[in-house]
């Protein structure tokens, strides 16, 4: 089974080809083009710029991936694309390109939920068995899910306001640390003193495993405003970055610990996915949470945590294996919860 | 020459398969939204009706705007996708040019095309009696578009014409064509040289984006 996958839901344009043969699985090609430079002047992703850039680049990336894999379209078994949730202008570019390839070469089209791509990556990398507990933490999402099978998700908690990565982006902008905010905060935090500023621990002591990050963002703002007048000093900025990172990690640890009490079935593993799962401090803390609950901690390599097309091709392959394909009039979805109960 | 042509840039989804100037099959539905869902099934239906497979085509033609940003991308992503999947050349034409060409089949008069640009504006482009554009398309308020037209005897067409018509001189007369027809697009594209690069979108209006003051820093 061999599937081409397309990812265009945010600011990475990517195409990958994955295959599974007799239990072995591999990525034949992954062509990715980041739009960081296009969005940097704005300190965040601008949807219309993202959509235009995806259109400019996607067809060349498809050709590059096919060439790198050294295969012909005829040898593909399906064409998958992120069909939501995400910035809809970009999603449409990916879906239309996939539908065109699918129509010309008469291959099944698979509309992949971007979140399912993140959720199933650990099966591609580590062959994790169901059910497992998944922390999905990125610039657009922060959720804790029980993954029971392809298409079977129980959402245990989600953010009540901002996503974790969004909090890092906004704080980094206020502190002048650069874009994207996650890596910028992480780098600054390395030379900062995490206990200098006493930032709040949102929802501490509350039941459930919902998340909240907007209070932290506001606390950063208030802390900066309370500093002595004048330009923000570098040491203040890095100390605040370290304090923020510590607060975010402590909040996520607290919520995930609650999540372990809420699962229906004993999980085989604790899995982290999404761009913020690239954060080393968070990985270390999650590893400890998993150990405390007696399960292995699985986190894909950084390049498969951030948005990529390997996860879309893989999710497409998993769906195709189960006969789950979609018609060519499939409507791209800007919002698309993973769990049916919230659909 | 066999051409598959389609347009989703304005308030329609239009698909045609033409061969040597003759329309073998045409799908033409007015729709404000839903082109991302409708287009590929419409292409397959039209190709079936024409009895043509992708491999038997000689070229693909697609309207590149101006029009709805989403509509422009729906058509171009599909067109460029079909291009890489088939290896056929993809020819891009301005939506305004296609609308003007259809209008001029009947009138042979100088033609002004106004396409609804939303936000109370229109994309305006004028064509002389030979169908040659007098300038690049521009994004204008209806009053400004009327100023451009002046008291010249243009035939005013396009789905934005109704916005401009109340402001124009009596010399400007309303035409009948509102959206692009893929048959016209196909026949125009059949005469064009094959480009070295895939067609690019024509948005006219820049993206809505303002860089924050001091990069958003609280204490610059």
């Amino acid at each position: 089974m061999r599937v081409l996958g397309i990812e265009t839901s945010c600011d990475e344009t990517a195409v990958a080809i994955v295959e599974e043969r007799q239990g072995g699985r591999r990525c034949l090609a992954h062509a990715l083009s980041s739009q960081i430079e296009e969005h940097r002047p704005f300190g965040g992703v601008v949807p219309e710029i993202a959509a235009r850039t995806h259109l400019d680049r996607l067809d060349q990336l498809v050709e590059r991936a096919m060439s790198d894999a050294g295969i012909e379209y005829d040898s593909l078994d399906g064409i998958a694309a992120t069909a939501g949730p995400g910035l809809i202008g970009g999603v449409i570019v990916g879906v239309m390109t996939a539908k065109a390839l699918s129509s010309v070469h008469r291959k099944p089209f698979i509309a992949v939920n971007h979140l399912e791509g993140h959720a199933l990556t650990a099966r591609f990398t580590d062959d994790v068995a169901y059910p497992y507990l998944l922390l999905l933490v990125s610039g657009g999402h922060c959720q804790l899910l029980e993954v029971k099978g392809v298409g079977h998700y129980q959402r245990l908690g989600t953010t009540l306001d901002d996503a974790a990565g969004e909090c890092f982006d906004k704080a980094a902008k206020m502190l002048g640390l650069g874009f994207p905010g996650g890596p910028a905060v992480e780098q600054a935090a390395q030379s900062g003193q995490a206990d200098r500023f006493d930032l709040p621990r949102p929802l501490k002591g509350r039941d459930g495993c919902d998340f909240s990050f907007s209070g932290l963002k506001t606390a950063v703002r208030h802390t900066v405003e309370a500093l002595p007048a004048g330009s923000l000093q570098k040491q203040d900025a890095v100390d605040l970055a370290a304090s923020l990172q510590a607060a975010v990690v402590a909040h996520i640890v607290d919520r995930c610990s609650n999540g372990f009490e809420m699962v229906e079935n004993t999980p085989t593993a604790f899995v982290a996915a999404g761009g913020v799962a690239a954060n080393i401090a968070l990985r270390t803390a999650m590893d400890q949470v998993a150990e405390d609950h007696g399960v292995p901690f699985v986190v894909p390599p950084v390049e498969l945590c951030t948005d990529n097309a390997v996860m879309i091709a893989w999710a497409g392959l998993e769906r195709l294996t189960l006969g789950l394909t979609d018609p060519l009039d499939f409507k791209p979805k800007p919002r698309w919860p993973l769990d049916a109960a919230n659909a | 020459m066999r051409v598959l042509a389609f347009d989703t840039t304005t308030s329609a989804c239009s698909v045609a398969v033409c061969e040597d100037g003759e329309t073998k099959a045409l799908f033409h539905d007015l729709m404000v939204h839903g082109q991302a869902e409708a287009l590929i099934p419409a292409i397959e239906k039209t190709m079936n009706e024409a009895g043509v497979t992708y491999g038997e085509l000689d070229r693909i033609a697609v309207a590149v705007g101006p029009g709805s940003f989403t509509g422009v991308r729906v058509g171009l992503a599909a067109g460029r996708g079909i291009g890489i999947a088939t290896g056929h050349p993809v020819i891009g034409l301005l939506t305004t040019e296609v609308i003007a060409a259809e209008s001029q089949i009947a009138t042979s008069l100088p033609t002004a095309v106004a396409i609804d640009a939303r936000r109370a504006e229109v994309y305006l482009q004028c064509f002389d009696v030979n169908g040659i554009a007098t300038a690049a398309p521009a994004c204008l308020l209806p009053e400004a578009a009327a100023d451009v037209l002046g008291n010249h005897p243009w035939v005013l067409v396009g789905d934005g014409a109704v916005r401009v018509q109340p402001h124009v001189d009596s010399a400007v007369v309303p035409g009948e064509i509102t959206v692009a027809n893929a048959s016209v697009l196909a026949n125009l594209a059949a005469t064009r040289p094959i480009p070295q690069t895939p067609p690019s979108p024509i948005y006219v209006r820049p993206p809505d984006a303002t860089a924050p003051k001091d990069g958003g820093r609280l204490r610059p």
Side-chain angles (χ1 to χ4, degrees), chain A residues 291-314:
Chain A
E291 192 181 323
D292 291 347
H293 291 86
V295 295
F297 176 59
V298 176
V299 60
V302 171
E303 66 272 18
L304 297 185
C305 278
T306 51
D307 286 350
N308 67 86
V310 176
M311 67 181 194
I312 303 305
W314 174 252

Side-chain angles (χ1 to χ4, degrees), chain B residues 128-153:
Chain B
D128 66 17
V129 289
N130 299 311
I132 306 296
T134 59
C139 185
L140 301 166
L141 286 167
E143 296 85 344
D147 287 345
V148 171
L149 300 180
N151 58 2
H152 194 73

Side-chain angles (χ1 to χ4, degrees), chain A residues 18 25 30 112-130 132 134-136 147 150 153 271-275 277 283 298-316 318 338:
Chain A
V18 301
R25 54 195 62 159
H30 188 206
V112 171
N113 182 314
H114 177 84
L115 304 177
E116 182 159 59
H118 281 301
L120 299 180
T121 302
R123 290 177 49 75
F124 176 70
T125 57
D126 295 79
D127 205 14
V128 176
Y130 302 118
Y132 53 89
L134 170 75
L135 169 68
L136 204 167
V147 181
V150 173
Y153 303 91
V271 174
R283 283 176 179 236
V298 176
V299 60
V302 171
E303 66 272 18
L304 297 185
C305 278
T306 51
D307 286 350
N308 67 86
V310 176
M311 67 181 194
I312 303 305
W314 174 252
E318 288 234 47
L338 259 186

Side-chain angles (χ1 to χ4, degrees), chain B residues 46-192:
Chain B
T46 311
M47 301 260 291
N48 276 337
E49 274 179 31
V52 171
T53 64
Y54 283 107
E56 292 166 342
L57 296 167
D58 294 298
R59 51 178 67 182
I60 316 297
V62 59
V64 299
S68 135
F69 292 170
T70 297
V72 166
R73 284 189 283 268
V74 165
L76 266 170
R80 288 168 65 152
I82 293 171
I84 56 170
T86 59
H88 297 319
V90 185
I91 319 285
L93 276 91
L94 288 168
T95 309
T96 40
E97 188 179 3
V98 180
I99 294 173
E102 185 177 9
S103 179
Q104 290 184 322
I105 292 170
T107 65
S108 296
L109 292 169
T111 302
V113 183
I115 291 174
D116 186 357
R118 321 237 166 120
R119 302 188 205 170
E121 293 181 313
V122 295
Y123 300 116
L124 181 77
Q125 191 172 29
C126 298
F127 297 83
D128 66 17
V129 289
N130 299 311
I132 306 296
T134 59
C139 185
L140 301 166
L141 286 167
E143 296 85 344
D147 287 345
V148 171
L149 300 180
N151 58 2
H152 194 73
W154 302 103
V155 175
L156 180 59
V157 293
D159 66 359
V162 290
R163 289 184 185 275
V164 182
Q165 196 68 46
H167 305 282
V168 299
D169 186 274
S170 59
V172 179
V173 296
E176 291 184 354
I177 312 298
T178 54
V179 297
N181 182 306
S183 293
V184 178
L185 170 60
N187 292 328
L188 285 174
T191 65
R192 297 298 162 90

Side-chain angles (χ1 to χ4, degrees), chain A residues 41-42 48 51-52 55-56 59 63 92 96 99 103 105 173-174 176 221 224-225 227-228 230-232 328-329 331, chain B residues 36-37 40-41 44 54 69-70 73-74 77-78 80 84-86 203 205 207 209-212 215-220:
Chain A
F42 306 98
E48 180 59 24
R52 292 183 181 197
L55 177 63
D56 288 345
D59 55 349
E63 292 203 300
I92 285 174
M96 292 312 297
K99 285 180 177 180
S103 175
H105 291 289
K173 196 193 268 191
M174 289 189 272
R221 171 181 289 278
V224 172
E225 287 170 350
L227 288 167
S231 294
L232 184 67
L328 292 177
D329 65 352
K331 183 178 184 177
Chain B
E37 297 92 282
I40 299 292
E44 292 192 341
Y54 283 107
F69 292 170
T70 297
R73 284 189 283 268
V74 165
R80 288 168 65 152
I84 56 170
T86 59
Y203 296 111
R205 188 189 273 148
T210 310
R217 294 172 71 167
L218 285 179
R219 293 282 190 87

Side-chain angles (χ1 to χ4, degrees), chain A residues 46-299:
Chain A
V46 180
E48 180 59 24
I49 292 176
R52 292 183 181 197
T53 310
H54 287 305
L55 177 63
D56 288 345
R57 298 177 181 176
L58 181 57
D59 55 349
Q60 297 155 56
L61 290 175
V62 171
E63 292 203 300
R64 196 204 301 168
M66 291 297 291
S67 162
D68 289 352
I71 60 167
E72 301 295 327
Y73 288 104
D74 276 351
S75 76
L76 293 169
D77 296 294
I79 312 285
T82 294
L87 302 175
I88 193 65
V91 170
I92 285 174
V93 170
V95 165
M96 292 312 297
T97 302
K99 285 180 177 180
L101 298 176
S102 166
S103 175
V104 170
H105 291 289
R106 300 191 169 281
K107 303 293 180 185
F109 167 67
I110 308 118
V112 171
N113 182 314
H114 177 84
L115 304 177
E116 182 159 59
H118 281 301
L120 299 180
T121 302
R123 290 177 49 75
F124 176 70
T125 57
D126 295 79
D127 205 14
V128 176
Y130 302 118
Y132 53 89
L133 184 63
L134 170 75
L135 169 68
L136 204 167
V137 59
S138 70
H141 309 278
C142 191
Q143 315 186 347
L144 203 59
L145 297 142
E146 185 176 348
V147 181
K148 299 173 178 177
V150 173
H152 296 286
Y153 303 91
Q154 174 82 40
R155 195 169 74 183
L156 305 174
T158 187
T159 182
L160 304 173
D161 38 58
D162 293 345
E166 198 177 351
C167 173
F168 281 142
D169 277 345
K170 288 173 177 172
K173 196 193 268 191
M174 289 189 272
L175 299 174
L177 296 174
F179 173 82
V185 167
E186 184 173 16
Q187 191 184 3
Q190 286 174 2
S191 47
Q193 193 185 327
D195 60 0
R196 175 167 163 208
F197 297 104
D198 187 20
L199 298 179
R201 301 293 188 263
L203 304 174
K204 179 80 179 163
R206 298 263 289 272
D207 288 343
C209 57
D210 283 335
F211 301 84
S212 172
F213 296 95
S214 69
L216 275 172
K217 174 189 67 186
T218 306
V220 168
R221 171 181 289 278
H222 288 162
T223 305
V224 172
E225 287 170 350
L227 288 167
S231 294
L232 184 67
Q233 300 301 304
K234 187 182 174 212
Q235 194 59 47
D236 294 336
V238 298
D239 287 348
L240 200 39
S243 301
L244 173 66
Q245 180 176 269
V248 166
V249 169
H251 175 48
I252 294 175
V253 166
D254 176 58
R255 304 282 88 196
C256 290
S257 299
N258 282 5
F260 270 94
E261 312 306 323
M262 296 170 66
V263 289
E264 277 181 17
N265 310 287
T266 305
T268 64
F270 180 36
V271 174
V276 178
N279 183 290
I280 301 294
L282 182 64
R283 283 176 179 236
T284 307
M286 293 297 100
D287 197 13
Q288 187 60 50
V289 170
E291 192 181 323
D292 291 347
H293 291 86
V295 295
F297 176 59
V298 176
V299 60

Side-chain angles (χ1 to χ4, degrees), chain A residues 311-335:
Chain A
M311 67 181 194
I312 303 305
W314 174 252
L317 190 150
E318 288 234 47
R319 294 187 73 81
L320 184 59
T321 303
L322 297 171
L324 300 171
T325 64
D326 296 280
L328 292 177
D329 65 352
F330 187 93
K331 183 178 184 177
K333 304 176 186 186
R335 295 176 60 80

